[in-house]
Amino acid sequence: MTNLTRLVSTDELESVFQRELATDRWAATETAYALAARHRDLGNWPASREWAQQCLRLLEGFPSETEEQVATGRTSVGGVQLPTFLHSGVVEERFGTLS
């Protein structure tokens, strides 16, 4: 994806997610967050919940003791603003308790 500020479709984001999952799990985690936000904004609550849960599952594989460990590498993905720090507390705050 060359232009990360353009609002892309969820299909495009899902394609990006699949590529990133194989090559860069942190980028895939950020993209899962973006997919959750994008589906929420579109009113697709089941898909939003599914992607938020995917984001949380991926986050379990990363350390989260310091700000550096949870800092996002990008400011936005597919036109969706990312939080400065990405950890389970942020996901639950933005999407509610998912368990």
Side-chain angles (χ1 to χ4, degrees):
M1 185 172 10
T2 56
N3 183 354
L4 296 178
T5 59
R6 178 178 68 90
L7 194 59
V8 301
S9 73
T10 55
D11 287 342
E12 287 176 280
L13 275 178
E14 287 183 31
S15 177
V16 169
F17 172 81
Q18 291 302 325
R19 283 193 309 271
E20 289 173 342
L21 194 56
T23 60
D24 184 343
R25 291 183 69 79
W26 183 254
T29 304
E30 293 175 345
T31 301
Y33 176 92
L35 275 157
R38 192 77 175 92
H39 280 290
R40 180 194 58 206
D41 293 348
L42 293 170
N44 187 343
W45 308 115
S48 176
R49 180 180 178 85
E50 197 175 300
W51 281 105
Q53 288 172 329
Q54 176 67 35
C55 181
L56 287 172
R57 281 191 297 274
L58 287 166
L59 284 169
E60 288 174 2
F62 294 99
S64 60
E65 289 81 35
T66 68
E67 286 183 353
E68 291 81 21
Q69 292 171 327
V70 297
T72 52
R74 302 174 281 186
T75 57
S76 69
V77 173
V80 175
Q81 279 297 123
L82 293 176
T84 303
F85 302 108
L86 185 55
H87 53 80
S88 60
V90 168
V91 175
E92 290 177 357
E93 177 184 305
R94 306 267 170 101
F95 298 99
T97 303
L98 299 167
S99 51

